[in-house]
Amino acid sequence: MKRFYFITALFLITSLAPVNAVSQGLKGREVLGLRLGGVASPGAVEDCFGRGSELELHFIEGLGSWYGVDIALSMHNFGRSLSREKNIDFTGSDRTVEAEIYSLTFGLVGIRSVTDRISLGMEGGMGLYPITAIIPEGIWEGRVTRNQFGFYTGANIYYSLNRRGLSLDIGAKYHYVFSGDDPWQVLYAYTGEDRLRFIQMTVGIVFYTR
């Protein structure tokens, strides 16, 4: 019951905060954010690995009143392989392989207020996508990484929580990666596809400085 009262009080406090941080504009300001969620790649990748998890740190440098540049470091964990036959083909034995991507992306972002508390954002750019296979070796694990390039686009909804610049961030990104046909690139080895498309869906927190 005490927890219920605490959560209710916190909600009321943030609801009464009158200022949307984005309404002050992005120019000359920085935005720091953390996003958590899931990653999905419908089709062959999902058939071979299922759906995974997502962790992203990002930074926005405001250039104008409503636009800026965004740099993001993300971990897209696709999880463990679901196909015993593919495991044997890739490693030579029945060892469960895990696939993950660490991406470093750079792009342009635009954020506009639509109400006192809600803002909409759009972004797009390019990045480096190291695709890694994690292969168990007894108590150790081996890693095989192939660095690929790609593009992304995304959209977000920001809900201002208080006048200090803290906002809730809900969004999604679509990534298109030129993943290549290297037989040691794990996603190509399991799917036979030389292009990778996946979607990240996240909930996070952003903090506007100044």
Side-chain angles (χ1 to χ4, degrees), residues 39-52 78 80-82 187 191 193 196-197 201:
V39 59
S41 182
V45 174
E46 191 167 304
D47 292 341
C48 292
F49 290 92
R51 298 185 178 186
F78 287 84
R80 298 179 180 276
S81 58
L82 305 175
L187 295 179
T191 67
E193 298 180 354
L196 172 63
R197 305 164 183 83
M201 296 158 286

Side-chain angles (χ1 to χ4, degrees), residues 93-130:
S93 63
D94 186 14
R95 290 178 286 178
T96 301
V97 176
E98 186 173 349
E100 66 182 19
I101 301 175
Y102 285 91
S103 66
L104 177 62
T105 57
F106 176 86
L108 297 175
V109 59
I111 303 176
R112 287 282 198 180
S113 299
V114 294
T115 72
D116 288 341
R117 301 181 63 82
I118 297 175
S119 301
L120 299 180
M122 296 289 292
E123 61 181 295
M126 64 182 63
L128 177 66
Y129 294 80

